[in-house]
Amino acid sequence: MRLVAFRKRLKIIQTRKECNMNTKKLTTLSLLTALSLILFIIESAIPPLIPVPGIKLGLANIVTLFILSQGSFRDAAMVLFVRIVLSSVFTGQAVYFLYSFAGGLCCLLAMSAINCFLQKRFLYLTSIIGAIFHNIGQIAAACLIVESFTMTAYLPVLLLSGIVTGFFTGLCTHFLNAHFHVLTIANK
């Protein structure tokens, strides 16, 4: 009888601990989502660095790569999806959602594969590949929307910019990883 009561109490304690850990993780991911939205808004307010339309630094991708390097694919996908939905609501453009979702999904899948292959090292290389695939995803979405492959002529310019901006965001993520271990703490 006492053994059964002890097991029930132990199970309740374990359930509370799991619930508490899930709350920590949810809070951490929510804060990282807010950070990625803030970076998106700041980047939208910055005038273009070069007079070529569509080229941005991709500062919000720093958060996605950070989560991917410290957390899981699922965590990164959740934060990315929520950021894309909220940022398209903030901008008020439904087309923005399609471009962002296509680019973000391609970027996340590519970065996840490269990240596993490189064992979460060389984040700048992972980010470069992610930026290139983000541009490929957006061009593919544009070709589907416009129903023409003329948009692919813009791809070499975007790929070159993807290398530069991907290196920058990868470097930022590398330095961020060196100083913060947010998700590691949240998962313990």
Side-chain angles (χ1 to χ4, degrees), residues 27-184:
T27 304
T28 303
L29 292 176
S30 298
L31 288 171
L32 289 170
T33 302
L35 178 62
S36 69
L37 274 169
I38 290 167
L39 289 172
F40 168 79
I41 291 168
I42 289 171
E43 186 175 14
S44 298
I46 297 173
L49 300 173
I50 55 175
V52 180
I55 295 179
K56 293 174 25 174
L57 281 174
L59 296 177
N61 194 43
I62 295 170
V63 176
T64 305
L65 185 56
F66 177 71
I67 296 169
L68 207 59
S69 67
Q70 295 220 355
S72 67
F73 174 82
R74 183 175 171 226
D75 295 340
M78 284 190 302
V79 169
L80 176 70
F81 183 72
V82 170
R83 178 185 55 84
I84 288 172
V85 168
L86 290 177
S87 59
S88 63
V89 168
F90 291 156
T91 59
Q93 299 174 1
V95 176
Y96 172 81
F97 175 80
L98 297 174
Y99 289 126
S100 293
F101 185 72
L105 183 63
C106 288
C107 174
L108 182 64
L109 292 173
M111 286 194 315
S112 180
I114 294 296
N115 210 23
C116 287
F117 180 72
L118 296 176
Q119 299 173 347
K120 298 187 177 190
R121 293 178 302 183
F122 307 110
L123 291 177
Y124 58 89
L125 185 60
T126 303
S127 184
I128 289 171
I129 299 296
I132 289 171
F133 273 86
H134 185 274
N135 291 334
I136 290 170
Q138 284 192 330
I139 290 293
C143 288
L144 288 173
I145 291 170
V146 177
E147 297 179 355
S148 172
F149 287 103
T150 56
M151 298 298 291
T152 56
Y154 193 47
L155 197 55
V157 175
L158 288 180
L159 293 181
L160 182 62
S161 73
I163 292 170
V164 175
T165 59
F167 182 75
F168 174 75
T169 57
L171 222 52
C172 290
T173 307
H174 173 75
F175 290 124
L176 191 63
N177 267 340
H179 297 289
F180 295 102
H181 298 287
V182 177
L183 292 178
T184 311

